Amino acid sequence: MVRNVAIADADIRVLIALTVPGCPLRAEIDTWVSQAIRGLAPSAAVAVDSTVMTEEELRDLRQRLHGDPASTAGTNAAHGHAEGRAIPFAQPDSRTRVLLIASGKGGVGKSSVTTNLSVALAQRGKSVAVIDADVWGFSIPKMLGVDRAPVVLDEMLLPPEAHGVRCISIGFFADEDQPVIWRGPMLHKALEQFLTDVFWDEPEYLIVDLPPGTGDVSISLAGMLPQAEMYVVTTPQPAAQRVAQRAGFMAHKVNLQVRGVIENMSWFTGDDGTRYELFGQGGGAVLAEALEVPLLGQVPLVPALRAGGDVGDPIVVSEPDGEAAGVFAAIAERVDVELAPTRRRHRELKLI
């Protein structure tokens, strides 16, 4: 995209070729370019000009990013479900860890956990992407604070980013008050396109916010992403724990590995320091024992956690020193270090 750099004494001008006229990223690109230059020449006067790519240049860029349209195999195949591109995260040599965040029922804070865990991993310096697979109850873009739609580059989507996390959601393509009334085949195709028609650029983590329960979306993703790890979210009450364990047992039936349990809304701490267990206690531990996995953390019930989700200000960003943010940071560390795969993949090694 960098067309030209002109330097005259302390004046620096950069010409950038945008992908489309009125590109929603223009202001951000101007900022990134200016910051990069000032990091090298702090006293320089920087000017960023822009032009627009031609259709041929767009095709060339798309091909460089997502491969040759004539090829249909491997991670360098052409982009797009329609072009037969393989799902990159399902390849044996993929270095992306896929984390499926599941729950037995709605209302347990699964999307809040997805949002804050993804940002906490990004704060650890990891490259993180999120797919909002809760097609009927999409909420991730708003919770992350994403304020723009994906950029379309010759039918390939470039996902927007907030707090170091890239994301895609059906919420970008449906009105806030528009119900998504889809059955299995349409859900399956949408998920497949999220995995193949979006330029993810091999993140270290792909976190998928599943819909509640054990329906079509979970079954489809189990087939598309056979190396995925599942993490089950529950609340402390026994009723929620009993429902949540069904999601874990479903994972066993479709050969997905459950790696841990996260208990949400574990307690509320009053102004006097008294801890109130509003939803009972012990559900997370019981579920972890039933699934034979560790209880990774207990997230307290904090009003700022709910408020942050409503306005796109995750609590790990708004209150990084708070109790809830500390729990998410600890969970992210356990996922990243303690539960890191012991088997390493080396794509340069081939069996012949």
Side-chain angles (χ1 to χ4, degrees):
M1 297 172 68
V2 179
R3 282 291 176 80
N4 186 52
V5 178
I7 302 173
D9 298 326
D11 296 330
I12 301 176
R13 299 191 73 90
V14 179
L15 179 62
I16 300 293
L18 302 175
T19 55
V20 292
C23 176
L25 282 175
R26 178 172 180 173
E28 291 182 60
I29 291 172
D30 287 356
T31 300
W32 295 335
V33 171
S34 298
Q35 288 176 345
I37 293 174
R38 290 198 174 97
L40 299 172
S43 60
V46 180
V48 181
D49 301 319
S50 63
T51 184
V52 180
M53 292 182 180
T54 66
E55 291 186 7
E56 183 179 355
E57 289 170 337
L58 285 174
R59 285 194 298 270
D60 290 344
L61 177 59
R62 200 286 301 267
Q63 182 173 328
R64 281 164 48 199
L65 291 177
H66 251 189
D68 184 355
S71 174
T72 59
T75 57
N76 290 324
H79 96 90
H81 163 67
E83 293 174 326
R85 181 175 187 262
I87 295 173
F89 310 113
Q91 303 309 303
D93 61 355
S94 173
R95 296 175 182 173
T96 299
R97 285 181 65 186
V98 180
L99 314 182
L100 306 181
I101 310 300
S103 68
K105 65 186 187 69
V108 300
K110 170 183 54 61
S111 296
S112 294
V113 169
T114 299
T115 299
N116 284 280
L117 176 59
S118 65
V119 177
L121 284 167
Q123 290 174 338
R124 291 179 58 82
K126 304 300 178 180
S127 171
V128 183
V130 173
I131 291 179
D132 187 357
D134 192 350
V135 176
W136 303 284
F138 51 85
S139 59
I140 292 297
K142 178 164 286 188
M143 286 187 164
L144 269 176
V146 174
D147 58 2
R148 59 179 174 80
V151 173
V152 181
L153 176 61
D154 191 32
E155 299 183 4
M156 180 181 71
L157 296 175
L158 304 179
E161 180 178 314
H163 306 296
V165 177
R166 288 164 284 158
C167 76
I168 197 71
S169 169
I170 199 66
F172 292 126
F173 313 102
D175 294 333
E176 186 70 25
D177 58 352
Q178 175 185 346
V180 179
I181 308 173
W182 288 354
R183 289 189 174 180
M186 293 183 69
L187 293 169
H188 184 93
K189 183 176 180 181
L191 294 171
E192 200 166 39
Q193 289 183 293
F194 281 171
L195 292 167
T196 60
D197 287 354
V198 178
F199 179 65
W200 293 115
D201 196 25
E202 197 174 36
E204 292 171 89
Y205 286 94
L206 176 69
I207 303 180
V208 183
D209 186 39
L210 295 177
T214 57
D216 290 337
V217 171
S218 300
I219 295 171
S220 291
L221 284 170
M224 295 177 190
L225 302 167
Q227 300 178 66
E229 311 166 26
M230 180 175 283
Y231 295 82
V232 183
V233 179
T234 186
T235 53
Q237 65 206 81
Q241 170 264 316
R242 287 194 294 269
V243 176
Q245 71 181 9
R246 297 171 195 160
F249 292 154
M250 183 271 306
H252 293 157
K253 289 183 177 295
V254 295
N255 297 318
L256 287 178
Q257 187 177 15
V258 181
R259 300 299 305 278
V261 169
I262 299 171
E263 184 184 273
N264 195 25
M265 309 181 194
S266 298
W267 57 77
F268 170 75
T269 304
D271 293 338
D272 60 354
T274 302
R275 181 177 289 185
Y276 300 92
E277 295 169 330
L278 301 178
F279 295 98
Q281 59 178 323
V286 172
L287 177 60
E289 183 178 359
L291 297 176
E292 299 181 338
V293 296
L295 175 61
L296 297 178
Q298 296 173 285
V299 183
L301 184 61
V302 180
L305 179 56
R306 188 276 309 163
D310 288 340
V311 299
D313 195 12
I315 199 165
V316 294
V317 175
S318 62
E319 296 186 7
D321 298 323
E323 183 181 19
V327 173
F328 281 117
I331 294 173
E333 182 177 9
R334 295 190 70 181
V335 170
D336 190 38
V337 178
E338 179 182 325
L339 298 179
T342 55
R343 180 181 175 184
R344 298 183 181 274
R345 303 187 183 103
H346 296 276
R347 62 184 57 184
E348 64 273 12
L349 299 180
K350 304 293 183 181
L351 294 178
I352 57 175

